[in-house]
Amino acid sequence: MGLLVLRVGLAAVVGAHGLQKLFGLFGGSGIDGFAKTLTGYGFARGTSLLAWVTALSETGGSLLLLFGFLTPLGSAALLGVALNIVYVRAPTGFFLNGTKEGFEFQLVLAVVALALLFTGAGRYAVDARTPWGREPGRFGLAALAFAVVTSVGVVVFFR
């Protein structure tokens, strides 16, 4: 039951952020506004493409986690995005203080996604009887490698 709560909680929080970016819901800026935000974070090339990739990763990864379907892929998507946010906000400091945009919140999201990589979706999930649901550790390592490689790739190719 704890993994269900963790999975659905992460999916709800990150999914809402994805919907802000993708459709401008919940007071979000939509794709064009988020692309401009990315420019402010030092991304110089392909910000429209990166905005789409980020929004789809957050929204799609959250949907996967919500149902516990392809959990390693969903967790890797959210972890990769969170790692990039931690990286670009690191110079502003750890804490969210007034006007400072610290990275503490994104780090917590990254840690939760990382934990789900290695625990799997749990008993109450579509993945429960899949090979990655029964042995999440092996698949978690592959998904972790995917998240790290794509996160580094984003920094290298888009900054």
Side-chain angles (χ1 to χ4, degrees):
M1 189 57 96
L3 289 174
L4 175 65
V5 170
L6 192 66
R7 214 180 65 232
V8 170
L10 181 62
V13 170
V14 178
H17 283 275
L19 292 172
Q20 283 185 309
K21 293 171 182 78
L22 198 56
F23 301 114
L25 298 177
F26 311 117
S29 59
I31 292 294
D32 293 335
F34 183 58
K36 290 176 186 164
T37 300
L38 290 171
T39 302
Y41 281 124
F43 291 96
R45 297 181 300 272
T47 54
S48 291
L49 174 62
L50 186 56
W52 277 103
V53 169
T54 303
L56 292 172
S57 294
E58 287 182 342
T59 306
S62 293
L63 282 172
L64 293 175
L65 287 183
L66 182 65
F67 295 105
F69 179 64
L70 300 175
T71 302
L73 181 61
S75 295
L78 301 190
L79 177 60
V81 170
L83 289 175
N84 279 111
I85 299 169
V86 167
Y87 176 79
V88 299
R89 287 193 174 178
T92 65
F94 181 74
F95 295 105
L96 296 167
N97 290 328
T99 59
K100 286 179 59 178
E101 293 184 343
F103 63 91
E104 63 182 311
F105 174 67
Q106 286 76 21
L107 184 61
V108 171
L109 298 177
V111 168
V112 173
L114 181 63
L116 287 171
L117 279 178
F118 293 109
T119 61
R123 181 180 305 168
Y124 306 108
V126 175
D127 284 347
R129 299 195 188 281
T130 62
W132 54 89
R134 290 190 308 270
E135 296 181 43
R138 286 187 309 142
F139 293 93
L141 283 173
L144 175 60
F146 175 73
V148 169
V149 167
T150 56
S151 186
V152 169
V154 164
V155 171
V156 168
F157 293 115
F158 291 97
R159 280 195 98 185

